[in-house]
Amino acid sequence: MRQTIEQTMERLPDGTRRLAAILRTPIGIDSIWNILTDYDHLSNHIPNLVSSQVIERKGNRVQLKQVGAQKLMGLSFSAQVQLELVENPEMRLLTFHLVKGDFRRFEGLWKMQELKEGEGTSLLYELTVQGCLGMPVALIEQRLREDLKNNLLAVEQAALNLYP
């Protein structure tokens, strides 16, 4: 049975926030890895991700274009990013950083670790984000926390659905 998601948030200078969320799940590590690295289909699983498209792949480096959208305080908000993602399958680690897009800073990682003796997987999602000028990150802090939690749960659900 899934345990509670643990979350932390750190306020950094210039409206930057570093958030982390961790989920312990009975789902196997390979199933989670397969969901997270199926980039062209991530928008089928991740809430508020409208599209995700591989632009280029060179070895373990992947360029992605992603568009997210959501309603915030009754207004529709959309953001586009081009990310460079580095896959490290041996360490079950995906790191990403902003190449260009609607943020000043957008970087983070997905890290998977096997729990002892087939008990499942620990899935960590860490994100450091700094909005563009005029985007008050303080107002969307709670939304960011919810999104991290929802993204973890969505990855878990997708793995359950596709790899029962």
Side-chain angles (χ1 to χ4, degrees), residues 6-90:
E6 300 169 31
Q7 286 188 283
T8 60
M9 188 190 70
E10 185 180 357
R11 289 181 173 95
L12 302 175
D14 301 321
T16 303
R17 300 293 184 268
R18 181 178 299 131
L19 300 100
I22 190 164
L23 167 73
R24 287 171 188 83
T25 176
I27 306 296
I29 200 165
D30 289 334
S31 298
I32 291 173
W33 179 266
N34 289 340
I35 294 295
L36 289 174
T37 57
D38 186 9
Y39 308 113
D40 287 327
H41 296 101
L42 276 178
S43 60
N44 296 339
H45 309 299
I46 304 290
N48 302 320
L49 186 59
V50 175
S51 67
S52 178
Q53 174 185 4
V54 173
I55 297 170
E56 180 179 49
R57 177 185 277 278
K58 288 184 181 174
N60 69 334
R61 294 186 178 276
V62 181
Q63 293 272 333
L64 294 178
K65 180 180 176 182
Q66 295 185 327
V67 178
Q70 59 185 260
K71 286 202 180 275
L72 184 65
M73 297 184 295
L75 300 172
S76 292
F77 173 77
S78 130
Q80 182 173 297
V81 293
Q82 183 175 329
L83 303 173
E84 180 176 78
L85 190 135
V86 179
E87 299 175 340
N88 186 331
E90 295 79 30

